[in-house]
């Protein structure tokens, strides 16, 4: 059984259909890259999986660990082990990162019938994970994302992922807006979190992220459907040739 | 570090609701119903007051009736106040049938128990360390803790009634000097029928070693509470004073018309903090406390400083403008406020900063939070008089909206009569964003916890200014009130 199984998914926003029959299977331990031009539905896929309610699902199904994902509230999805790293992480003025993550971690633990972490254990965990993903501990002493640079926000997302220890992480254009050094740090964090139980879906416009994180599978999303799948070499082909030839093939105008 | 976690905290909150809504079952001696000279004489006689005070009360009563006849109920606030029948209420109620308690051993057990239930243990061995409490139920102060210990430093902390008996010269010299009974209708009413409140006197050069606080509790039905508090801080003194308030849940409204006066002499500093949690009425807008309050500080001395910090979460209607008259050169006034309204609550609150002296400074930070069908207004006046050279003011008024049925309004008034003044005003209005809520949920946090985090984050700057002992309680209270405000 796949960890995540998406079958013939159709999703629309205000009567405008964006996903038009998308299917994808992800197994534990695998890293899948989803690439595609702007407007192909990449971020919609991430939002639908995380449970944003701006979308109407007219057809199709999504199961996560065998359960109907679309029936779950967003917080339940996360507690079940799904994690979305946001393309644009949201600032929460005045909300301490400590308080925010402690509420998050303990909500997840409660759901998994684990004891709540004590303050000292929580602080230990935070320190350990910040070191693990190479995050400046000063950032954990500030309000959530408030006044962070673009790069700091992306790194904080990877840190939050490490804290919540998901089975499936969806990274929505985590590479966008990063310079090469920041990209390296973020990628290192992700690579460290890679293991045989955890799967990743990397959503990206550019191939360069895949120089740092080598995916098992690459899928090309065009016009709301996956039009081609392959190994890492597909990403290189896209880098060389662009998306136009696939758009033509799929009969979609850019 | 406390082992109490946010998670416990949110769990508590979910279970609580308005946990202060119970009624203490104790006999009560009441004045005859209605408002008249007889009522005033009755109150004054019960409290065995000197003649000058009765005379003062009677003058105030006459003024009240005059204002009422002339239709001078304040009508400028952005509030919808139902007509109040001043004859259909009791103006004095003594819990446990006693007007005065000389010792805590005389206080009926059920009253002590219920204060304990409110988190205010009154026996000193159990009392909150570092906090002296004056506990007022309806019209009577039932106990004041740590009185003797404070007296060692020459600090007077007692009920207003006791101060009238034991320190009449101090009371007479100061009461009505900052808020005269002619100030407004409710101030006149309070001056006529005020019952109890606290009196604090900090002598020259003394830094009060503990927090002073008064806990106000309305218990009896159909009974108004008319608290009167007077704080005098002599040259170089310092005191931090805190008040808390709750009332049972009742179908009919209850009137609370208070007057608070503060006088700060040269180099004196007074911090006055309020956590106001009067019963706000039912979710449908029935009952609740009408909170009509006049609070004002006179910074009479050079470099004196008064800070008002308030968390307003209760009351059906709040009409309240804690103000500072900055008379002494170099004096400083500060106002920090979080006002939360939900359901059908209405709040019109803010401050007045009146700059009279040279080099006076004031800061206003007001954060309104509105949910449900409530209406929440900030109203503030910054006035710089002709002689106030180099006056400075900074005002910031933020409003946060939860849902789309509530209202937030800002009414800033600025009068500058001296060209050297520097006055800044900033205002923002924001909605609790769907993006923020979704971001929290995407981290496994429930909607209710998410709202708590976001709103407490928004209010944090102000709550952090409350005395430490109360900051956690305040945060909790805000979360209790937020319960059910999602969506």
């Amino acid at each position: 059984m796949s960890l995540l199984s998406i079958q013939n998914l159709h999703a629309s926003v205000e009567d405008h259909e964006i996903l038009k029959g998308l299917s994808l299977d992800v197994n534990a331990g695998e890293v899948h890259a989803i690439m595609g031009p702007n407007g192909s539905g990449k971020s919609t896929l991430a939002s639908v999986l995380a449970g944003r309610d701006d979308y109407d699902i007219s057809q199709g199904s999504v199961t996560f660990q065998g359960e109907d994902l679309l029936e779950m509230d967003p917080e339940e999805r996360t507690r079940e082990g799904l994690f979305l790293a946001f393309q644009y992480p949201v600032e929460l003025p005045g909300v301490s990162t400590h308080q925010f993550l402690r509420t998050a971690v303990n909500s997840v633990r409660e759901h998994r019938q684990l004891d709540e972490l004590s303050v000292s254990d929580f602080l230990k965990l935070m320190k350990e994970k910040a070191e693990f993903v190479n995050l400046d501990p000063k950032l954990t002493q500030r309000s959530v994302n408030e006044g962070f640079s673009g790069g700091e926000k992306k790194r904080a997302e990877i840190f939050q992922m490490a804290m919540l220890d998901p089975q499936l992480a969806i990274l929505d254009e985590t590479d966008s807006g990063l310079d090469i050094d920041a990209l390296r740090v973020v990628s290192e964090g992700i690579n460290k979190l890679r293991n045989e139980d955890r799967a990743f879906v990397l959503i990206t416009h550019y191939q360069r992220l895949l120089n740092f994180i080598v995916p098992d599978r690459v899928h090309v999303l065009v016009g709301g459907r996956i039009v081609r799948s392959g190994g890492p070499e597909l990403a290189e082909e896209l880098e060389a040739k662009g998306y136009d030839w696939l758009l033509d093939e799929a009969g979609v105008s850019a | 570090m406390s082992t109490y976690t946010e998670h416990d905290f949110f769990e508590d909150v979910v279970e609580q609701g308005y946990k202060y809504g119970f009624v203490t079952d104790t006999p009560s001696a009441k004045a005859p119903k209605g408002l008249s000279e007889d009522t005033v004489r009755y109150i004054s006689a019960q409290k065995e007051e000197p003649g000058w005070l009765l005379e003062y009360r009677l003058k105030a009563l006459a003024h009240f009736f005059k204002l009422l006849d002339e239709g001078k109920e304040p009508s400028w606030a952005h509030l919808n106040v139902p007509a109040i029948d001043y004859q259909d209420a009791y103006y004095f109620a003594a819990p446990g049938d006693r007007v005065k308690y000389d010792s805590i051993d005389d206080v009926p057990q059920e009253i002590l128990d219920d204060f304990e239930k409110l988190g205010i243990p009154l026996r000193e061995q159990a009392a909150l360390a570092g906090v002296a409490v004056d506990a007022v139920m309806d019209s009577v102060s039932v106990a004041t803790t740590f009185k003797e210990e404070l007296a060692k430093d020459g600090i007077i902390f007692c009920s207003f009634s006791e101060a009238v008996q034991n320190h009449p010269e101090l009371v007479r010299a100061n009461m009505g000097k900052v808020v005269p009974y002619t100030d407004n209708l409710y101030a006149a009413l309070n001056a006529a029928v005020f019952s109890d409140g606290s009196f604090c006197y900090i002598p020259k050069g003394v830094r009060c070693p503990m927090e002073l606080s008064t806990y106000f509790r309305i218990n009896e039905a159909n009974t108004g509470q008319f608290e009167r508090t007077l704080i005098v801080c002599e040259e170089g003194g310092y005191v931090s004073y805190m008040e808390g308030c709750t009332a049972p849940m009742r179908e009919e409204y209850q009137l609370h018309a208070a007057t608070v006066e503060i006088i700060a002499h040269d180099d004196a500093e007074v911090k006055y903090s309020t956590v106001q949690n009067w019963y706000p009425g039912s979710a449908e807008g029935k009952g609740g406390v009408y909170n009509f309050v006049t609070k004002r500080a006179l910074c009479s001395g050079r470099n004196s400083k008064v800070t008002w910090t308030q968390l307003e979460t209760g009351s059906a209607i709040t009409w309240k403008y804690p103000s500072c008259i900055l008379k002494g050169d170099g004096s400083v006034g500060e106002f920090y406020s979080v006002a939360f309204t939900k359901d059908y609550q209405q709040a019109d609150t803010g401050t007045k900063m009146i700059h009279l002296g040279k080099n006076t400074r004031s800061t206003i930070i007001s954060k309104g939070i509105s949910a449900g069908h409530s209406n929440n207004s900030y109203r503030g006046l910054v006035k710089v008089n002709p002689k106030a050279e180099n006056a400075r003011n900074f005002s910031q008024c933020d409003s946060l909206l939860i849902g789309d049925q509530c209202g937030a309004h800002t009414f800033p008034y600025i009068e500058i009569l001296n060209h050297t003044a520097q006055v800044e005003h900033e205002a923002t209005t924001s909605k609790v964003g769907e993006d923020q809520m979704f971001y929290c949920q995407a981290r496994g946090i429930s909607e209710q916890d998410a709202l708590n985090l976001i709103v407490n984050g928004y209010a944090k700057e102000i709550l952090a200014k409350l005395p430490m002992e109360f900051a956690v309680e305040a945060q909790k209270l805000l979360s209790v009130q937020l319960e059910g405000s999602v969506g």
Side-chain angles (χ1 to χ4, degrees):
Chain A
M1 184 186 67
S2 325
L3 180 67
L4 177 75
S5 176
I6 305 173
Q7 300 301 328
N8 190 32
L9 185 65
H10 290 254
S12 54
V13 140
E14 289 165 2
D15 295 332
H16 180 66
E17 193 169 59
I18 298 173
L19 299 183
K20 302 171 181 171
L22 185 145
S23 297
L24 176 70
D25 280 283
V26 177
N27 294 312
E30 291 178 350
V31 175
H32 290 240
I34 296 186
M35 304 184 66
N38 290 329
S40 59
K42 298 190 303 289
S43 282
T44 296
L45 175 62
S47 295
V48 166
L49 292 177
R52 247 202 128 102
D53 63 5
D54 308 344
Y55 299 91
D56 287 326
I57 313 292
S58 55
Q59 270 188 70
S61 67
V62 182
T63 59
F64 177 58
Q65 296 169 334
E67 306 278 330
D68 185 351
L69 186 75
L70 300 177
E71 280 298 303
M72 299 179 200
D73 289 333
E75 60 268 34
E76 205 182 335
R77 299 176 191 205
T78 305
R79 293 170 189 175
E80 286 285 333
L82 184 142
F83 181 92
L84 171 67
F86 281 54
Q87 181 178 7
Y88 303 108
V90 180
E91 299 194 10
L92 302 177
V95 179
S96 75
T97 298
H98 176 183
Q99 192 171 4
F100 175 72
L101 280 180
R102 192 136 65 92
T103 308
V105 166
N106 282 330
S107 299
V108 170
R109 289 180 67 89
E110 188 183 0
H111 184 77
R112 296 178 189 170
Q113 294 176 344
L114 296 169
D115 283 344
E116 191 169 284
L117 282 186
S118 69
V119 174
S120 59
D121 287 345
F122 176 80
L123 289 172
K124 226 185 280 167
L125 180 73
M126 223 165 65
K127 190 162 174 275
E128 178 194 314
K129 297 295 183 187
E131 273 169 20
F132 190 67
V133 300
N134 202 4
L135 183 86
D136 182 350
K138 279 198 194 106
L139 291 182
T140 66
Q141 286 156 22
R142 288 170 47 183
S143 296
V144 179
N145 295 324
E146 194 184 11
F148 285 21
S149 70
E152 286 171 339
K153 283 182 183 169
K154 296 297 174 75
R155 286 157 74 163
E157 290 291 283
I158 303 306
F159 164 65
Q160 290 187 19
M161 183 201 300
M163 290 294 292
L164 292 181
D165 193 24
Q167 261 58 65
L168 172 67
I170 300 158
L171 282 71
D172 187 8
E173 309 224 6
T174 294
D175 53 332
S176 69
L178 294 185
D179 62 31
I180 197 75
D181 293 324
L183 183 63
R184 180 172 294 125
V185 174
V186 165
S187 305
E188 273 169 17
I190 296 168
N191 282 328
K192 279 184 173 177
L193 290 167
R194 239 174 129 159
N195 65 37
E196 59 193 23
D197 296 323
R198 195 182 341 258
F200 288 83
V201 173
L202 310 176
I203 291 172
T204 178
H205 187 85
Y206 300 105
Q207 188 265 341
R208 62 171 195 166
L209 175 68
L210 307 181
N211 292 335
F212 295 96
I213 306 168
V214 181
D216 298 301
R217 300 286 293 161
V218 175
H219 310 275
V220 183
L221 184 61
V222 171
R225 274 200 310 265
I226 287 173
V227 296
R228 184 161 297 213
S229 297
E233 71 289 347
L234 179 57
E236 280 157 34
E237 195 178 354
L238 287 169
E239 185 72 0
K241 295 163 71 177
Y243 288 109
D244 286 350
W245 58 285
L246 282 169
L247 294 180
D248 294 341
E249 254 185 44
V252 181
S253 55
Chain B
M1 185 177 251
S2 154
T3 53
Y4 187 81
T5 68
E6 278 83 21
H7 209 66
D8 296 335
F9 166 69
F10 292 135
E11 301 259 292
D12 272 11
V13 162
V14 171
E15 284 162 20
Q16 276 170 355
Y18 191 81
K19 67 170 178 179
Y20 314 97
F22 59 85
V23 178
T24 305
D25 186 14
T26 181
S28 179
K30 284 185 196 166
K33 201 173 198 179
L35 184 59
S36 65
E37 280 204 7
D38 288 345
T39 317
V40 171
R41 286 179 194 280
Y42 174 92
I43 294 170
S44 191
Q46 289 288 312
K47 295 196 174 275
E48 299 168 18
E49 286 175 353
W52 64 266
L53 191 51
L54 174 62
E55 217 168 285
Y56 179 85
R57 286 178 180 274
L58 290 171
K59 273 199 253 170
L61 182 73
H63 189 72
F64 171 78
F65 281 132
K66 180 168 163 274
L67 290 176
L68 202 61
D69 282 349
E70 291 168 357
K72 289 197 175 152
E73 291 179 286
S75 57
W76 37 262
H78 189 78
L79 297 171
N80 179 14
V81 183
I84 296 172
D85 181 354
Y86 289 96
Q87 298 305 338
D88 187 31
Y90 293 97
Y91 288 83
F92 186 86
D97 260 341
R98 284 178 70 139
V99 177
K100 199 166 114 186
Y101 291 99
D102 293 321
S103 154
I104 193 153
D105 299 325
D106 300 338
V107 180
Q109 194 57 41
E110 60 269 24
I111 294 181
L112 293 178
D113 288 350
D114 281 356
F115 269 107
E116 183 130 12
K117 225 152 102 185
L118 296 166
I120 317 289
L122 294 176
R123 292 196 184 272
E124 285 190 10
Q125 56 271 34
L128 302 165
V131 184
V133 180
D134 181 21
V136 177
M137 184 178 273
D138 295 330
S139 309
V140 173
S141 163
V142 296
T144 308
T145 61
F146 297 114
K147 232 173 0 185
E148 285 75 25
E149 194 168 330
L150 290 165
K152 287 180 202 153
D153 291 321
I155 295 167
I156 304 169
F157 179 51
C158 62
S159 73
F160 201 92
S161 307
E162 201 181 315
V164 168
Q165 299 302 329
N166 299 341
H167 311 282
E169 67 299 335
L170 277 175
V171 174
R172 196 172 182 182
N174 290 293
M175 85 170 278
K177 291 292 180 291
V178 189
V179 181
Y181 65 78
T182 49
D183 193 81
N184 65 71
L185 184 83
Y186 307 122
L189 177 63
N190 177 281
V193 299
F194 72 85
S195 38
D196 235 333
S198 300
F199 176 75
C200 314
Y201 178 81
I202 311 297
K204 187 173 169 180
V206 172
R207 234 189 122 78
C208 185
M210 55 177 91
E211 300 282 337
L212 303 187
S213 85
T214 308
Y215 195 89
F216 292 97
R217 172 79 177 163
I218 299 179
N219 190 52
E220 278 298 300
N222 284 318
T223 299
Q225 191 180 53
F226 304 93
E227 118 193 38
R228 183 138 197 139
T229 288
L230 175 59
I231 300 174
V232 179
C233 198
E234 295 287 1
E235 185 181 336
Y238 166 86
V239 64
S240 169
Y241 173 93
M242 160 94 200
E243 62 166 354
C245 348
T246 59
M249 292 151 85
R250 296 194 184 276
E251 291 261 302
E252 63 282 354
Y253 78 86
Q254 288 177 295
L255 183 61
H256 174 86
T259 297
V260 173
E261 297 177 283
I262 299 176
I263 300 174
H265 292 284
D266 287 357
D267 299 305
E269 182 176 358
V270 178
K271 285 187 180 168
Y272 188 106
S273 309
T274 303
V275 172
Q276 187 266 104
N277 187 24
W278 294 119
Y279 177 54
S282 71
E284 296 75 38
K286 243 184 145 184
V289 170
Y290 293 179
N291 191 33
F292 300 146
V293 175
T294 307
K295 293 186 173 185
R296 197 172 299 153
L298 175 63
C299 291
S300 69
R302 266 180 303 104
N303 303 323
S304 55
K305 180 177 178 184
V306 171
T307 302
W308 298 99
T309 305
Q310 59 173 25
L311 170 64
E312 302 282 319
T313 63
S315 298
I317 305 176
T318 297
W319 180 95
K320 178 181 172 187
Y321 315 90
S323 303
C324 295
I325 301 169
L326 303 170
K327 188 173 165 219
D329 289 347
S331 59
V332 176
E334 295 176 332
F335 174 77
Y336 302 116
S337 170
V338 173
F340 174 79
T341 54
K342 69 172 179 182
D343 299 330
Y344 288 88
Q345 279 178 284
Q346 307 177 60
D348 193 295
T349 183
T351 184
K352 288 191 275 189
M353 293 290 175
I354 314 291
H355 293 255
L356 302 178
K358 295 185 180 71
N359 303 313
T360 47
R361 284 177 289 142
S362 62
T363 304
I364 299 170
I365 301 180
S366 161
K367 290 178 179 269
I369 304 161
S370 335
H373 291 83
S374 68
N375 252 306
N376 198 329
S377 304
Y378 166 79
R379 184 180 306 277
L381 169 68
V382 175
K383 184 168 181 179
V384 178
N385 272 41
K387 288 182 180 160
E389 293 288 319
N390 297 315
R392 300 277 179 275
N393 164 265
F394 173 77
S395 302
Q396 181 189 330
C397 305
D398 298 332
S399 307
L400 185 69
L401 302 171
I402 302 170
D404 53 9
Q405 303 291 309
C406 52
H409 315 272
T410 305
F411 303 98
Y413 304 85
I414 299 174
E415 285 177 44
I416 309 294
L417 302 169
N418 182 308
H419 72 279
T420 62
Q422 274 189 24
V423 174
E424 289 175 67
H425 181 90
E426 291 176 7
T428 67
T429 301
S430 51
K431 264 192 89 166
V432 169
E434 283 175 22
D435 284 347
Q436 293 180 329
M437 290 294 286
F438 180 68
Y439 188 68
C440 293
Q441 288 175 270
R443 297 298 173 254
I445 298 170
S446 71
E447 269 186 282
Q448 188 66 53
D449 285 0
L451 190 63
N452 274 328
L453 282 169
I454 293 165
V455 171
N456 270 300
Y458 168 81
K460 188 150 107 187
E461 181 188 357
I462 305 295
L463 299 185
K465 294 186 187 294
L466 288 170
M468 245 245 294
E469 292 83 348
F470 300 97
V472 173
E473 196 57 33
Q475 202 188 27
K476 201 159 165 176
L477 179 59
L478 191 54
S479 301
V480 170
Q481 301 296 57
L482 277 168
E483 191 58 36
S485 296
V486 169

